[in-house]
């Protein structure tokens, strides 16, 4: 196991006057976060996500295969759930890898993401924006993540296992509320 610390982030809010009222840039305050991760577990998930990307169905448009692999915190067996994206000739009928893997785990009765790895065709690019989950996937991850969920964006480069985030660094203004349970 490896202990690591995500650094604190602090960007102050700022208001700008306009003739019709103020516009506000919201600030961000993310406290320093300590995470305990298992590099071998991350490596297994990276391998599974890359394998899922190789099996992805991306026959249309940009042909951009993506794979995702995750482990659910509430799965006592710690199974790896993985999936690739599946494009469709009707573009919005396809599904992203992250949402497909989450749906697979949810279909097995699990609800809490422990760790998710995303691997794309751009995994050797330095810019994380070219490899990070899309907005829909960030929201889907948010639904089943908590402050302890670890998100790894694959970065295939010598000596780099991946780039590590938590949900608040991946999606700082994500919509979230606690569902009503009866």
């Amino acid at each position: 196991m490896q202990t690591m610390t995500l650094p604190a982030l602090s960007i102050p809010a700022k208001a700008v006057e306009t003739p019709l009222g103020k516009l506000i840039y919201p600030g961000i305050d993310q406290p320093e976060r300590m995470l305990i991760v298992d590099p071998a577990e991350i490596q297994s998930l990276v391998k599974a996500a890359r394998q899922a990307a190789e099996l992805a169905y991306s026959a249309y448009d940009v042909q951009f295969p993506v794979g995702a692999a995750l482990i659910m915190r509430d799965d006592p067996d710690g199974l790896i759930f993985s999936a690739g994206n599946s494009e469709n000739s009707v573009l919005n009928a396809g599904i992203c890898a992250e949402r497909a893997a989450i749906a697979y785990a949810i279909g097995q009765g699990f609800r809490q993401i422990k760790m998710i790895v995303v691997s794309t065709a751009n995994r050797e690019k330095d810019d994380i924006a070219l490899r990070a989950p899309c907005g829909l996937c960030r929201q889907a991850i948010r639904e089943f993540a908590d402050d302890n969920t670890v998100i790894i964006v694959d970065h295939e480069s010598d000596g780099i296992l991946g780039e590590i985030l938590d949900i608040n660094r991946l999606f700082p203004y994500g919509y979230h509320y606690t569902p009503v349970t009866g």
Side-chain angles (χ1 to χ4, degrees), residues 16-51:
V16 175
E17 292 287 341
T18 76
L20 300 176
K22 291 181 184 178
L23 288 173
I24 298 173
Y25 303 113
I28 296 175
D29 280 311
Q30 297 295 329
E32 182 177 272
R33 295 217 7 90
M34 186 179 77
L35 300 174
I36 299 172
V37 296
D38 179 354
E41 185 176 59
I42 293 171
Q43 186 177 45
S44 294
L45 285 168
V46 168
K47 181 179 178 182
R50 287 179 181 177
Q51 195 169 40

Side-chain angles (χ1 to χ4, degrees), residues 17-174:
E17 292 287 341
T18 76
L20 300 176
K22 291 181 184 178
L23 288 173
I24 298 173
Y25 303 113
I28 296 175
D29 280 311
Q30 297 295 329
E32 182 177 272
R33 295 217 7 90
M34 186 179 77
L35 300 174
I36 299 172
V37 296
D38 179 354
E41 185 176 59
I42 293 171
Q43 186 177 45
S44 294
L45 285 168
V46 168
K47 181 179 178 182
R50 287 179 181 177
Q51 195 169 40
E54 289 174 16
L55 297 172
Y57 181 70
S58 58
Y60 300 97
D61 264 2
V62 292
Q63 297 184 10
F64 189 71
V66 177
L70 55 86
I71 296 173
M72 303 299 282
R73 186 177 324 286
D74 52 338
D75 175 9
D77 296 325
L79 299 175
I80 294 176
F81 296 91
S82 64
N85 63 319
S86 177
E87 292 181 359
N88 191 284
S89 59
V90 177
L91 295 178
N92 61 353
I95 187 166
C96 298
E98 300 92 326
R99 290 183 291 131
I102 291 168
Y104 180 26
I106 295 305
Q108 301 304 308
F110 305 114
R111 300 291 185 267
Q112 300 168 347
I113 299 172
K114 174 183 175 186
M115 183 181 303
I116 183 168
V117 172
V118 179
S119 183
T120 74
N122 282 339
R123 64 180 171 249
E124 59 289 324
K125 304 268 187 195
D126 286 333
D127 186 353
I128 193 171
L130 298 173
R131 298 176 278 111
C134 73
L136 285 173
C137 290
R138 290 175 193 217
Q139 185 61 50
I141 293 167
R142 177 75 198 103
E143 185 71 19
F144 301 101
D146 61 24
D147 287 342
N148 297 311
T149 299
V150 175
I151 301 147
I152 305 287
V153 179
D154 188 10
H155 188 189
E156 189 174 34
S157 184
D158 288 340
I160 298 176
L161 189 54
E163 290 172 286
I164 189 166
L165 302 162
D166 64 4
I167 191 60
N168 295 318
R169 284 161 177 77
L170 176 69
F171 199 32
Y173 300 110

